[in-house]
Amino acid sequence: MKIGRNDPCWCGSGKKYKACHAEFDEKLAQMKAKKIIVPSHKLIKTRQQLEGIRKAGKLNTEILDMVAAHIREGMSTDEINTLVHEYTIAHGGIPAPLNYCGFPKSVCTSVNDVICHGIPDENEILKNGDIINVDVTTILDGYYADASRMFCIGEVSENAKKLVDVTKESLDLAFKEVRPWGFLGDIGEVISKHIYAHGYTVLHDIGGHGVGNDFHEDPYVCHIGRRGTGMLLVPGMVFTIEPMVNEGKEDFYQDADNGWTIYTEDGSLSAQWEYTVAVTEDGAEIITH
Ligand code: MF3
Ligand code: CO
Ligand code: CO
């Protein structure tokens, strides 16, 4: 059904459509006619949803800070799981990974050649020289925020440190590309260029995603791309950027026993950093800072 110019806007602002998103919709319709991929209204968060997602992001960041304060050599990845689980519950949240599509734990812990979706295990003990990604997703009052960081355990090799740092740089470079009327391809281009310039590879088939009202929403955020291509970015979109970067080849395989853990095919190290970001009226915001 077509919305009237004097009807309340679909975005939930409470303003009349003509004074709110009418011009915006007109602009998008013109872009769509030129074969530009435009986001549906469903991908644009209301002010109220954004507030909820920001609160989830704040708790998610506190959880990662708490992990940063406790993570150390000799600890098992299951101890990280316990810390995340208990802190989340104690602060009124729900750890989103737990039971998500059957995932058995409350956080993903991906060590060395594990690219992502590592399952915490009491028999997996962190040792000097390991690199680990801890990926935390928190539900608070029904809203989701998703972020991950790398941690270096004790003294790590120079090449491991470089991989971790370059991956973080690629995420920060990508964030600078997030703006209204930009494109998802802008993100993919800067990440892949930065990663390839260092001789690393970035996964094409696993990437970021819309997030906020659910764990994984549209769009798919590919970390390989070309500027000016892919979906148009508009204010109110919320998604993750989470490049997975391998020291060696891009190829990966999934653990046949648990059906989750993704490893590098060649056994090389892998690193990942993740933010949840929002497109604002005049730029962008990191929701998980
Ligand atoms: N947090 C991951 C992401 O960034 C998803 C993990 S799914 C899980 O998208 F089930 F493994 F938790
Ligand atoms: Co994510
Ligand atoms: Co995540």
Side-chain angles (χ1 to χ4, degrees):
M1 212 186 62
K2 205 166 176 288
I3 183 168
R5 291 184 54 80
N6 288 311
D7 291 341
C9 189
W10 52 262
C11 80
S13 64
K15 289 191 223 162
K16 285 184 177 174
Y17 181 53
K18 66 182 179 193
C20 196
H21 276 88
E23 244 177 78
F24 169 92
D25 280 345
E26 188 56 38
K27 185 166 171 180
L28 255 60
Q30 284 168 13
M31 295 180 96
K32 200 173 167 184
K34 289 189 215 152
K35 304 276 181 249
I36 290 169
I37 306 163
V38 301
S40 66
H41 288 172
K42 191 172 91 244
L43 303 190
I44 299 169
K45 267 70 183 179
T46 66
R47 191 188 297 263
Q48 186 190 345
Q49 287 168 344
L50 255 175
E51 270 318 302
I53 297 164
R54 282 197 189 98
K55 284 187 185 142
K58 190 164 176 285
L59 177 54
N60 204 71
T61 299
E62 272 176 39
I63 296 165
L64 277 166
D65 289 345
M66 181 276 299
V67 169
H70 288 87
I71 200 164
R72 60 182 160 73
E73 185 182 345
M75 175 185 257
S76 76
T77 50
D78 196 55
E79 286 175 67
I80 299 170
N81 182 71
T82 303
L83 287 170
V84 169
H85 185 88
E86 289 180 351
Y87 192 98
T88 306
I89 299 296
H91 291 79
I94 300 168
L98 187 60
N99 300 320
Y100 174 77
C101 300
F103 192 79
K105 295 283 179 173
S106 297
V107 63
C108 294
T109 50
S110 303
V111 179
N112 297 334
D113 63 326
V114 175
I115 298 173
C116 63
H117 301 168
I119 300 176
D121 181 344
E122 60 187 353
N123 296 314
E124 183 180 42
I125 308 297
L126 295 180
K127 52 186 196 314
N128 185 55
D130 283 344
I131 59 169
I132 176 176
N133 173 275
V134 178
D135 191 339
V136 177
T137 312
T138 304
I139 313 171
L140 187 65
D141 298 330
Y143 296 109
Y144 291 70
D146 184 11
S148 77
R149 296 182 197 166
M150 294 299 296
F151 298 99
C152 293
I153 306 303
E155 287 277 312
V156 309
S157 67
E158 233 168 79
N159 59 305
K161 180 82 173 65
K162 186 82 191 164
L163 176 71
V164 167
D165 290 348
V166 168
T167 303
K168 174 71 157 57
E169 286 163 15
S170 78
L171 173 57
D172 287 322
L173 287 171
F175 174 67
K176 289 194 191 151
E177 297 295 327
V178 182
R179 63 177 75 92
W181 317 111
F183 292 88
L184 278 183
D186 306 350
I187 292 170
E189 178 168 306
V190 292
I191 291 177
S192 50
K193 273 193 176 160
H194 191 67
I195 294 308
Y196 295 151
H198 286 272
Y200 304 138
T201 59
V202 55
L203 266 77
H204 184 278
D205 299 334
I206 313 178
H209 50 91
V211 66
N213 299 331
D214 210 335
F215 199 157
H216 294 106
E217 305 172 358
D218 282 338
Y220 174 65
V221 179
C222 190
H223 302 113
I224 299 175
R226 203 157 42 81
R227 191 172 287 285
T229 68
M231 189 181 281
L232 180 74
L233 304 181
V234 303
M237 289 173 77
V238 179
F239 54 85
T240 72
I241 310 174
E242 49 178 306
M244 281 152 255
V245 176
N246 297 348
E247 196 182 11
K249 292 209 178 79
E250 186 196 323
D251 306 69
F252 61 88
Y253 70 95
Q254 190 170 45
D255 189 303
D257 296 324
N258 69 34
W260 277 103
T261 310
I262 308 282
Y263 300 85
T264 58
E265 178 80 44
D266 60 9
S268 68
L269 292 174
S270 189
Q272 178 183 25
W273 291 80
E274 177 177 26
Y275 297 152
T276 293
V277 306
V279 184
T280 61
E281 291 296 331
D282 52 5
E285 169 185 338
I286 301 176
I287 296 286
T288 48
H289 250 183

